[in-house]
Amino acid sequence: MKAELKPRINLEGRTALETVIPLATPFVLFVDPSSACNFQCTFCPTGDRALIRGTGRFQGALKLDLFQKIIDDLDDFDHPLKVLRLYKDGEPLLNKRLPDMVTYAKASGRVDYIDTTTNGYLLTPQNVEKLISSGIDRINISVDGLSDEQFWEFTKTKVNFADFVKNIRHLYDVKGDCEICIKMPGDELSDDEKKFFFDTFGNYCDRISLENFAPCWPEFDVEEYTGVTITEGIYGNEIMDISTCPYIFYSISVNSDGLVSLCFLDWARKLVVGDLRTQSLKEVWTGEPLYRHQIAHLEGRRCENETCAGCGQLSHCLPDNIDPYVDELAKKLKAVRPYT
């Protein structure tokens, strides 16, 4: 197998957040090219069409001019953005302007690294050519089945598995400097299926891994939807008890309609902290709504917010741990924000 057996998250060389918070420039910006998805996966809120309709959430593609405005807003910050993540709730390749977005962000000089995560269904040779030409740095592919039948079981979508594999092999052949990462939920796979997964994809990506289901989505019971009992973290790690969310101190998430969410797991839009149709990105990053959430977490009041209280990302997904430093960080944050 050519690929490195390694999870998509980079666990080595991470910045000690307690030494840099509060950040004048966010490290990571999530921008969702499309809040809609062509799959209906049982383990994802977006896959439940009725559930999403009940939220009133915008379902559609991010407009290119709004995306360009977001990238232009990065000029207000002191440093370039470390990572632009072009995904959040939906399937990014449903937005036909995705390659143009990557090209524009790359040309801006304000973004160091760009990646996306896709279910792989639309990685046709034509789409791949445009995406690779755009200069994207990494493509994460979520494999949701190892046969036509299994794809239907997990995604309620008819997928020709042979064509799916053929497209990924083509992507690897033409990827250039782009890193290809492939991962799959391993909870319900037999040992033979796991071997088949590695044998099928292991020579056509740069890193590969099996992940576990995790109760990361707030107010969405993954165990109930999938029937899987979760006993360990997403990467096979031990489940931890973390009080303070680290993500809200180094990243921020833009939905496909321009609303800004506190974090990338805000599928129901209950944690909106700004609107880039009327505000700049820096206004949101340094604004009072985000600050209020950050202070609440640092003061041990995270669970007063029902959405944050119902998030399993902290316990199951190997976050950075800033719990030992909350008092010090609260003082620093209050010193640089004008809010009382």
Side-chain angles (χ1 to χ4, degrees), residues 137-237:
D137 294 291
R138 188 206 280 189
I139 301 173
N140 301 303
I141 304 169
S142 300
V143 176
D144 296 309
L146 295 175
S147 65
D148 297 12
E149 295 76 19
Q150 199 172 62
F151 259 104
W152 177 258
E153 178 186 355
F154 290 153
T155 73
K156 299 299 181 288
T157 305
K158 292 183 178 180
V159 176
N160 184 308
F161 182 69
D163 288 345
F164 181 87
V165 174
K166 182 180 178 181
N167 285 342
I168 290 180
R169 290 179 176 179
H170 172 73
L171 167 64
Y172 188 72
D173 287 341
V174 301
K175 73 181 186 70
D177 294 330
C178 178
E179 183 182 21
I180 308 299
C181 301
I182 295 180
K183 51 94 172 177
M184 182 177 186
D187 305 71
E188 297 188 300
L189 299 182
S190 66
D191 289 343
D192 286 345
E193 286 174 322
K194 291 176 182 178
K195 182 178 185 303
F196 179 74
F197 167 70
F198 288 116
D199 288 346
T200 301
F201 297 104
N203 288 324
Y204 302 99
C205 58
D206 298 294
R207 66 169 82 178
I208 192 169
S209 64
L210 289 171
E211 297 182 353
N212 299 314
F213 290 126
C216 53
W217 303 105
E219 302 178 89
F220 182 84
D221 192 332
V222 173
E223 290 185 325
E224 179 181 344
Y225 272 82
T226 63
V228 173
T229 299
I230 297 171
T231 60
E232 57 185 350
I234 190 171
Y235 307 113
N237 52 290

Side-chain angles (χ1 to χ4, degrees), residues 218-272:
E219 302 178 89
F220 182 84
D221 192 332
V222 173
E223 290 185 325
E224 179 181 344
Y225 272 82
T226 63
V228 173
T229 299
I230 297 171
T231 60
E232 57 185 350
I234 190 171
Y235 307 113
N237 52 290
E238 182 181 352
I239 297 173
M240 300 178 290
D241 183 17
I242 301 295
S243 176
T244 311
C245 177
Y247 299 101
I248 63 174
F249 294 92
Y250 70 83
S251 67
I252 199 164
S253 302
V254 184
N255 300 300
S256 59
D257 58 355
L259 292 179
V260 183
S261 286
L262 179 68
C263 84
F264 57 95
L265 294 168
D266 181 29
W267 62 271
R269 309 296 187 263
K270 292 186 176 182
L271 298 172
V272 172

Side-chain angles (χ1 to χ4, degrees), residues 63-81:
K63 294 181 179 179
L64 181 61
D65 59 351
L66 179 54
F67 176 81
Q68 292 172 333
K69 184 262 184 191
I70 294 167
I71 297 302
D72 293 345
D73 281 353
L74 293 172
D75 285 338
D76 295 335
F77 293 100
D78 296 334
H79 303 287
L81 186 72

Side-chain angles (χ1 to χ4, degrees), residues 14-87:
R14 296 179 69 82
T15 300
L17 292 176
E18 66 272 13
T19 67
V20 295
I21 295 173
L23 286 167
T25 306
F27 282 166
V28 179
L29 175 65
F30 287 83
V31 178
D32 199 7
S34 171
S35 57
C37 189
N38 50 339
F39 280 12
Q40 298 181 66
C41 299
T42 56
F43 49 83
C44 175
T46 300
D48 188 328
R49 304 287 168 79
L51 180 67
I52 296 302
R53 282 196 299 270
T55 68
R57 181 180 105 182
F58 171 74
Q59 288 288 88
L62 175 68
K63 294 181 179 179
L64 181 61
D65 59 351
L66 179 54
F67 176 81
Q68 292 172 333
K69 184 262 184 191
I70 294 167
I71 297 302
D72 293 345
D73 281 353
L74 293 172
D75 285 338
D76 295 335
F77 293 100
D78 296 334
H79 303 287
L81 186 72
K82 287 183 178 293
V83 181
L84 172 63
R85 303 225 130 102
L86 290 175
Y87 63 92

